[in-house]
């Protein structure tokens, strides 16, 4: 076997061992969770509880939640988050908690969340969430949990928001906006 497959096999075995020992993410700080995410991204059983803890700790609009949301971005977690969302497109738990993290990071109308929204889009979070939609389809309660996060990430007006929205529309995650009014023409005199 090649080096890559040996490394993958070793990571999977380590992840399975951690799961067998009931990896307790509740006792991990954010840095340890992100390190575990990087090391064991191949195991949805490790990713889902990490995403759940990050989503729960970053929910809200108070100063502590905003600081946590910013620290997720500052730690460089958006690219690994998008990669894990792509890797585990069929895992409802990974998608639901990953979508919650994206929604938390992107919520808000002031300049800081808008900057984080662009960073989430640049990291590939929209495409990763949109790619998971076919795997989950509509749920009994309505829409899959990823749609609200996609909407949060695509909010805004102007060039950046339009650029963020295009991949979501192409993937079927958002409906295309209705065409604007027809341009006015001057009546002949």
């Amino acid at each position: 076997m090649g080096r890559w497959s040996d490394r993958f096999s070793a990571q999977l075995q380590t992840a399975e061992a951690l799961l067998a020992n009931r990896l307790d993410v509740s006792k991990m700080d954010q840095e340890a969770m992100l390190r575990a995410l990087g090391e064991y991204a191949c195991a949805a059983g490790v990713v889902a509880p990490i995403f759940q803890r990050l989503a729960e700790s970053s929910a809200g609009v108070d100063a502590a939640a905003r600081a946590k949301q910013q620290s997720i971005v500052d730690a460089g977690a958006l690219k690994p988050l998008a990669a894990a969302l792509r890797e585990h497109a069929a895992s409802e738990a990974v998608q639901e908690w990953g979508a919650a993290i994206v929604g938390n990071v992107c919520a808000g109308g002031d300049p800081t969340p808008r900057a984080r929204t662009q960073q989430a889009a640049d990291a590939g979070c929209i495409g990763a969430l949109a790619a998971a939609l076919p795997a989950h389809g509509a749920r009994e309660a309505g829409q899959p949990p990823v749609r609200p996060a996609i909407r949060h990430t695509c909010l805004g007006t102007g060039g950046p928001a339009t650029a963020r929205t295009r991949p979501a529309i192409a993937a079927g995650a958002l409906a295309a906006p209705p065409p604007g009014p027809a341009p006015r023409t001057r009546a002949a005199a």
Side-chain angles (χ1 to χ4, degrees):
M1 295 181 107
R3 285 176 50 170
W4 184 87
S5 59
D6 291 343
R7 182 173 171 233
F8 177 80
S9 179
Q11 283 183 333
L12 190 55
Q13 288 172 353
T14 304
E16 289 170 1
L18 287 171
L19 291 175
N21 293 325
R22 298 181 187 215
L23 176 67
D24 189 0
V25 297
S26 68
K27 294 181 180 172
M28 297 173 115
D29 63 10
Q30 180 175 308
E31 184 179 325
M33 286 188 287
L34 294 176
R35 193 170 43 253
L37 178 62
E39 291 176 18
Y40 309 113
C42 61
V46 173
V47 174
I50 290 172
F51 278 12
Q52 180 179 359
R53 176 107 188 279
L54 288 172
E56 289 172 346
S57 67
S58 64
V61 294
D62 62 353
R66 291 291 183 213
K68 185 64 148 185
Q69 294 157 7
Q70 189 61 47
S71 73
I72 289 170
V73 174
D74 291 345
L78 294 175
K79 284 189 179 186
L81 172 90
L85 288 167
R86 277 191 187 85
E87 175 80 18
H88 304 292
S91 170
E92 190 168 323
V94 169
Q95 295 301 314
E96 185 169 348
W97 291 114
I101 295 167
V102 173
N104 292 345
V105 165
C106 297
D110 58 61
T112 302
R114 280 183 281 202
R116 291 193 302 252
T117 296
Q118 188 60 49
Q119 289 172 305
D122 293 345
C125 292
I126 295 172
L129 290 169
L133 284 173
H136 299 284
R139 296 168 58 183
E140 285 182 30
Q143 299 297 323
V146 298
R147 284 194 199 272
I150 293 171
R151 277 195 291 275
H152 274 301
T153 311
C154 293
L155 285 177
T157 58
T162 301
R164 289 191 303 264
T165 304
R166 276 191 210 110
I169 291 170
L174 293 176
R184 293 185 181 191
T185 58
R186 284 191 141 155

